[in-house]
Amino acid sequence: MHVDVQQIKDRVAERAESVHRLKSELHKVIVGQEEMVSRLMVAMLANGHVLLEGVPGLAKTLTIKSLSDAINAHFQRIQFTPDLLPADLVGTLVYNPASGEFTKRKGPVFANFILADEINRAPSKVQSALLEAMQERQVTIGDETFPLDRLFLVMATQNPIEQEGTYPLPEAQVDRFMLKVVLSYPKQDEERRVLDMALDGGGAQINSVITPEEIFAMQDTVKMIYIDDQVRDYILNVVRATREPKAFGINDVVPLIDFGASPRATIFLGMGARAIAFLQGRGYVTPQDVKDIALDVLRHRVLLTYEAEAERTSSDDVIKSILAKVPVP
């Protein structure tokens, strides 16, 4: 099948101005955190969802709220607590004594951008309700099913320093998130700018600079980005190396991996690499694009053995070792 890469590149260039406007608007109020902003945009362009892990105060809420404002979309922040019920999330039937009928009241999940704050503080039935909406992009209330908006992104957060009273997400549910991003503290100069902004009156007002329709156009363009067969094989080999490292001669990680990444990881790795290429203004995917997004796609899908935990080896360490040894086309 013939693919006109130049034509795809021209389509990417047409959308570059929208990307530039969106990034510029976000940087009015967000200092640093380039990776978080980039990964949110990757997930949005690839129609995925993001799990963020980081200590409080790293601008997680500000980032997704600003992204929503810049697109003039509907934002909802849901604070997950141990007493939260699925009905509090998706909605419920409300009885009307006057008419003797039940009416459907939609929950906060009916929004474009959702911040599921500290998702691991809610019981598993609530987590499952959200993850089902993420996967199926629809919600059932009573006997009626409601589709969610086409623009639908969930950013869930986990606090890594407080585990008491939490309900850890099962591995099968974590797999529904396209990306897991681990945040670190800002650099010294970035934190100084944050301090200056706070002491001198705060950041600027976020304005709506693009429309959801422009996002849909970008998503359609991302789907067109060319991935050569050799790069597709490379994506497949990286994921398979997490399951069968010995077959790729990566013997040092064999005793460290309990379960490798799922087939969903293969799909998300390709979709994420396409989004990375789009953000860099290219109409084709390179192996470096795959490497750039691999940690965020794989870190929550590669389960380690007790031996790895005893050696204090993280999934990031294992994935980096695999990326260093799988042959690059």
Side-chain angles (χ1 to χ4, degrees):
M1 182 178 68
H2 175 70
V3 177
D4 189 341
V5 177
Q6 183 58 47
Q7 184 179 8
I8 298 172
K9 184 178 178 180
D10 293 341
R11 288 285 297 271
V12 172
E14 288 176 14
R15 308 298 173 197
E17 176 60 27
S18 298
V19 175
H20 177 71
R21 276 186 280 126
L22 182 56
K23 285 184 175 180
S24 296
E25 195 67 20
L26 292 176
H27 287 150
K28 284 184 180 179
V29 297
I30 299 167
V31 178
Q33 299 298 2
E34 292 291 339
E35 184 176 6
M36 176 167 56
V37 173
S38 168
R39 295 314 183 244
L40 270 177
M41 295 187 69
V42 165
M44 180 179 67
L45 293 171
N47 248 331
H49 306 283
V50 183
L51 178 62
L52 286 183
E53 187 173 285
V55 298
L58 296 180
K60 298 185 289 292
T61 303
L62 176 64
T63 300
I64 190 168
K65 176 68 166 61
S66 300
L67 180 62
S68 178
D69 290 343
I71 302 171
N72 194 23
H74 182 200
F75 169 76
Q76 281 282 6
R77 179 181 184 273
I78 306 171
Q79 185 65 50
F80 277 60
T81 57
D83 60 347
L84 198 68
L85 298 174
D88 298 326
L89 188 69
V90 302
T92 188
L93 297 173
V94 179
Y95 180 69
N96 188 337
S99 63
E101 297 179 348
F102 286 92
T103 58
K104 296 175 179 67
R105 179 175 295 171
K106 293 182 179 180
V109 76
F110 288 90
N112 302 118
F113 291 87
I114 293 175
L115 171 62
D117 205 10
E118 297 198 75
I119 188 173
N120 55 332
R121 292 208 172 276
S124 56
K125 59 184 178 181
V126 180
Q127 297 173 0
S128 297
L130 176 63
L131 293 166
E132 181 182 3
M134 290 164 48
Q135 182 69 21
E136 306 299 332
R137 294 183 180 267
Q138 64 182 27
V139 167
T140 301
I141 303 174
D143 58 356
E144 190 172 352
T145 299
F146 299 90
L148 298 172
D149 287 343
R150 179 180 173 184
L151 180 58
F152 179 64
L153 184 148
V154 174
M155 186 184 87
T157 68
Q158 287 189 140
N159 185 343
I161 61 175
E162 292 182 9
Q163 299 302 322
E164 187 174 346
T166 62
Y167 302 82
L169 285 167
E171 284 78 8
Q173 293 186 359
V174 175
D175 193 54
R176 304 292 177 90
F177 287 95
M178 177 182 182
L179 308 173
K180 180 180 178 182
V181 182
V182 178
L183 302 179
S184 58
Y185 287 111
K187 298 175 183 177
Q188 182 173 345
D189 61 324
E190 294 171 346
E191 194 163 1
R192 173 56 192 266
R193 288 167 58 197
V194 171
L195 176 64
D196 291 342
M197 287 172 61
L199 296 181
D200 297 339
Q205 180 72 29
I206 290 289
N207 299 312
S208 174
V209 293
I210 65 173
T211 64
E213 287 69 28
E214 289 178 90
I215 297 296
F216 302 150
M218 286 191 279
Q219 290 174 343
D220 293 339
T221 303
V222 168
K223 293 175 184 176
M224 297 171 56
I225 288 179
Y226 176 65
I227 306 182
D228 187 78
D229 284 342
Q230 292 186 17
V231 179
R232 293 181 186 222
D233 289 339
Y234 178 62
I235 291 170
L236 185 62
N237 288 340
V238 168
V239 176
R240 291 191 65 83
T242 68
R243 307 173 201 156
E244 307 166 17
K246 189 177 290 187
F248 293 86
I250 316 175
N251 297 322
D252 55 326
V253 303
V254 171
L256 305 177
I257 299 176
D258 198 6
F259 290 97
S262 69
R264 191 179 277 122
T266 311
I267 297 170
F268 282 152
L269 197 52
M271 292 167 60
R274 269 180 164 162
I276 290 287
F278 174 85
L279 292 174
Q280 294 182 0
R282 279 185 280 101
Y284 58 92
V285 172
T286 67
Q288 188 58 49
D289 296 329
V290 178
K291 286 188 172 185
D292 288 345
I293 200 68
L295 276 179
D296 299 306
V297 172
L298 297 175
R299 64 162 53 98
H300 54 304
R301 294 184 165 94
V302 175
L303 307 184
L304 304 183
T305 61
Y306 289 116
E307 182 177 339
E309 294 178 11
E311 295 179 3
R312 296 190 176 182
T313 300
S314 68
S315 57
D316 283 19
D317 297 329
V318 172
I319 296 164
K320 287 176 183 176
S321 180
I322 289 172
L323 292 173
K325 295 178 182 176
V326 171
V328 179

